[in-house]
Amino acid sequence: MFDKFLQSILTDLERRHLRRWTRISHSPTGAFVAFNERTLHNFASNDYLGLAAHPEVIAASIHATQVWGAGAGASRLVTGTQTPHRALEEKLADFKQTEGSLIFGNGYATGTGALTALVGKNDVILLDRLAHACLIDGARSSGAILRPWRHNDIDHLEHHLRWAHRKHPQAKVFIVTESVFSMDGDIAPLREIVELKERYGAVLFLDEAHAVGIRGQGGRGLADELGLSAHIEIQMGTLGKALGSSGGYIAGSRHLIDVITNRARSFIFSTAPPASMSAATSAALDICMGKEGDKRRTHLRQLTSLLHPNIPAAIFPVILGDEEKAMRASQRLEELGFYVPAIRPPTVPQNTSRLRISLSAAHEAKNIRTLAEALRNFPTP
Ligand SMILES: *Cc1c(COP(=O)(O)O)cnc(C)c1O
């Protein structure tokens, strides 16, 4: 009975071209990815600076494993906070120029944990419609009154702010958005958002997952680039993309960090990430903030400009609409030697299935030129 039920779910997903499978790769993430016998150009990874397999990052991870063991053994609040964790949090606070920071095992747990820790059912959350699933899930489980605003539409946001001011004058109002959007690669109108936020006395939660390492001085993110960091109450980022390892962080005031430490259930009730993750990320941050980081960012910008003159970060979507069309396009590129995943609902809205090309400093210009050529010869919708 139950198995029949499970089977019907899978059949339905397949019929709608929405079924997903894990795919086993036989190589570290880099310019190439190996699947069984085939090695493909890898345009699917978020390892934007090519740090996941950087020798210094790997060495830091190995060293920390030798010193600290494979696992932390307990949650952060019990005996799971080891010196590499604290060292990373201090380095992140310095990187973000905030009073403090707090790391989580992954970005998803960061978004859900921080939002539920800070927002209650009498509050209002105004969420960009294309915000990441962890922000949607955190917003929903906070129990707050939730209003999505049209993607990057500042007038619509203001409309909601006015509504919240009128209907819920006692509520705290949180604006939640990303700086570089994960599936579209475009950027939020951050200056305008901050301006509105201050005018209406709201609080801003900004997820910089795809901007960290890429935008701003030393890869500090878009808020830093625009000189807005000090105006953003809650800054989030992830450690598994440009920083090459895994995890997430919140950066902000001392009080913000202390409240999240005390209330985020995904922080409290979860085993600390291994020390090797913190050590690897600290090594990656040193590279990111230094000359080599600048070199990698310059190289990445040169690569993106080969694909399109105006890509704000390292993500280039080719929107095809239909799920089946996106799947077929991805398969066709794979036959040509490129791994470019098809992104389908619910990751993206209905009728916006797409190819998502992500570039990395690990690529070489000639790789991008061959991809650009393949795309040019490609039947576009
Ligand atoms: C990837 C991503 C996350 C989740 O981070 P993980 O470390 O992969 O769990 C959160 N927010 C955004 C915007 C992301 O793109």
Side-chain angles (χ1 to χ4, degrees):
M1 264 293 275
F2 185 55
D3 201 64
K4 266 236 158 58
F5 164 72
L6 297 175
Q7 208 175 12
S8 72
I9 294 174
L10 296 171
T11 313
D12 180 57
L13 284 171
E14 229 158 286
R15 190 177 52 73
R16 294 155 57 211
H17 304 282
L18 291 175
R19 178 146 183 204
R20 296 160 189 238
W21 291 269
T22 52
R23 194 160 173 182
I24 300 166
S25 97
H26 297 82
S27 65
T29 187
F32 297 92
V33 59
F35 294 116
N36 293 315
E37 253 71 276
R38 283 200 79 200
T39 297
L40 304 171
H41 290 286
N42 181 10
F43 291 105
S45 163
N46 301 312
D47 177 27
Y48 301 123
L49 294 180
L51 296 182
H54 190 288
E56 283 169 34
V57 177
I58 293 171
S61 170
I62 292 171
H63 179 71
T65 301
Q66 283 165 338
V67 173
W68 295 98
S75 74
R76 290 286 307 279
L77 293 172
V78 183
T79 55
T81 299
Q82 299 168 324
T83 56
H85 297 108
R86 186 43 48 86
L88 172 58
E89 286 171 341
E90 282 167 10
K91 203 180 274 285
L92 278 167
D94 178 51
F95 179 66
K96 298 303 293 182
Q97 291 160 347
T98 53
E99 286 175 17
S101 86
L102 189 71
I103 56 163
F104 289 70
N106 57 67
Y108 183 88
T110 311
T112 54
L115 280 170
T116 49
L118 298 169
V119 187
K121 67 176 170 36
N122 297 321
D123 299 327
V124 172
I125 294 182
L126 307 178
L127 184 72
D128 184 288
R129 219 171 248 171
L130 294 189
H132 190 267
C134 71
L135 306 176
I136 299 172
D137 296 354
R140 282 188 184 147
S141 48
S142 74
I145 304 148
L146 181 58
R147 281 281 154 110
W149 44 291
R150 282 194 293 272
H151 176 53
N152 281 349
D153 183 336
I154 203 78
D155 295 331
H156 200 213
L157 172 61
E158 182 165 18
H159 176 267
H160 282 354
L161 282 164
R162 255 189 266 117
W163 165 85
H165 191 70
R166 200 171 58 239
K167 288 276 182 195
H168 302 281
Q170 306 301 325
K172 274 192 300 309
V173 179
F174 293 80
I175 300 172
V176 178
T177 192
E178 297 176 26
S179 57
V180 170
F181 280 81
S182 58
M183 294 300 142
D184 291 71
D186 56 348
I187 58 178
L190 206 51
R191 269 203 196 93
E192 290 84 347
I193 291 172
V194 167
E195 198 266 312
L196 274 183
K197 169 202 86 100
E198 310 229 300
R199 182 135 47 91
Y200 286 86
V203 173
L204 180 55
F205 183 119
L206 183 70
D207 184 350
E208 295 238 49
H210 296 272
V212 162
I214 295 179
R215 302 292 303 230
Q217 198 208 342
R220 289 179 168 78
L222 188 66
D224 174 84
E225 182 180 320
L226 300 176
L228 296 171
S229 278
H231 300 272
I232 300 171
E233 290 82 358
I234 309 152
Q235 299 196 58
M236 169 180 163
T238 64
L239 309 174
K241 285 161 183 154
L243 295 174
S245 75
S246 67
Y249 70 82
I250 295 287
S253 71
R254 193 68 257 159
H255 288 147
L256 175 79
I257 299 309
D258 289 348
V259 168
I260 295 175
T261 303
N262 278 273
R263 289 181 45 174
R265 293 169 70 84
S266 62
F267 177 85
I268 299 169
F269 299 105
S270 187
T271 301
S276 55
M277 162 277 204
S278 291
T281 309
S282 287
L285 266 175
D286 286 340
I287 296 169
C288 180
M289 290 189 276
K291 278 210 171 62
E292 191 180 339
D294 288 338
K295 237 170 70 190
R296 283 171 185 251
R297 275 182 290 279
T298 304
H299 178 53
L300 183 60
R301 266 196 303 278
Q302 284 163 351
L303 296 178
T304 56
S305 68
L306 294 174
L307 215 49
H308 194 276
N310 194 12
I311 301 177
I315 304 160
F316 181 64
V318 181
I319 296 175
L320 298 170
D322 185 276
E323 285 74 65
E324 197 182 357
K325 211 182 258 169
M327 297 281 280
R328 268 208 247 110
S330 173
Q331 272 157 20
R332 177 84 189 103
L333 283 172
E334 186 165 335
E335 286 156 17
L336 298 171
F338 304 102
Y339 185 53
V340 179
I343 310 287
R344 296 164 288 164
T347 310
V348 292
Q350 288 296 330
N351 304 316
T352 69
S353 284
R354 66 195 66 189
L355 297 170
R356 177 185 185 267
I357 299 165
S358 53
L359 300 185
S360 164
H363 290 127
E364 289 175 37
K366 61 173 196 273
N367 308 145
I368 312 301
R369 288 203 189 93
T370 45
L371 173 69
E373 197 173 300
L375 289 172
R376 261 197 301 279
N377 298 330
F378 211 66
T380 39

